[in-house]
Amino acid sequence: MIAFITAHSNQLENSMNRHLLRGAEVWIMGPNGENARKVLSSDSLTYIGSLAWSPHGRRIAFQRFRRDGASPVIYTIETVDLKGSTPSKIFEKVHYASYSVDHNFPEDLCWLTDGAIVYAVREPIPAIR
């Protein structure tokens, strides 16, 4: 199976010149495009990215990044089964800084064969004394 993301909006959105796919949907299909079906959808204020298959191939992990004006930015890593049931949240970080749309958003994640998920975390630059 192939997992992919479609989106209603592809906006240049942050200080690292990354395009964020908003209003995204996660789909799966066979290797020749057969049996395509939607697994997950989001609203226009939400970015979904970095898909990773579980070792057994029955779940997909993804990043969700929701920015809603002056409200906090919520970044999560979640998993969903192939039937599109309610996603399970495995990590959440809330950002309150509204001056940057980058919000230390990591680039990627990886689902290891033992079931652990590895992801990057950016930290602030240390203060020079």
Side-chain angles (χ1 to χ4, degrees):
M1 298 294 289
I2 297 169
F4 62 97
I5 300 171
T6 64
H8 303 293
S9 174
N10 180 2
Q11 301 171 351
L12 186 61
E13 182 89 24
N14 64 26
S15 62
M16 298 188 73
N17 294 322
R18 282 182 282 169
H19 288 265
L20 296 184
L21 302 175
R22 291 177 172 244
E25 298 175 342
V26 175
W27 286 71
I28 58 172
M29 67 179 181
N32 296 311
E34 70 277 7
N35 301 320
R37 66 185 186 276
K38 183 170 50 173
V39 175
L40 180 75
S41 60
S42 68
D43 60 32
S44 63
L45 297 172
T46 303
Y47 160 85
I48 291 179
S50 301
L51 301 182
W53 284 97
S54 68
H56 52 64
R58 293 189 297 262
R59 296 189 72 80
I60 298 171
F62 61 94
Q63 297 178 340
R64 187 186 305 252
F65 177 82
R66 180 163 172 77
R67 183 169 181 261
D68 188 7
S71 300
V73 174
I74 301 171
Y75 165 71
T76 59
I77 295 175
E78 302 176 38
T79 69
V80 66
D81 67 23
L82 303 186
K83 296 175 186 172
S85 64
T86 302
S88 298
K89 196 179 299 181
I90 60 171
F91 175 81
E92 177 176 276
K93 185 169 185 177
V94 178
H95 296 269
Y96 292 96
S98 60
Y99 56 86
S100 168
V101 294
D102 183 42
H103 296 285
N104 299 317
F105 186 53
E107 287 288 333
D108 213 352
L109 58 95
C110 179
W111 207 326
L112 303 179
T113 57
D114 68 357
I117 294 179
V118 177
Y119 55 92
V121 176
R122 292 188 191 166
E123 294 185 359
I125 298 171
I128 299 174
R129 295 178 190 226

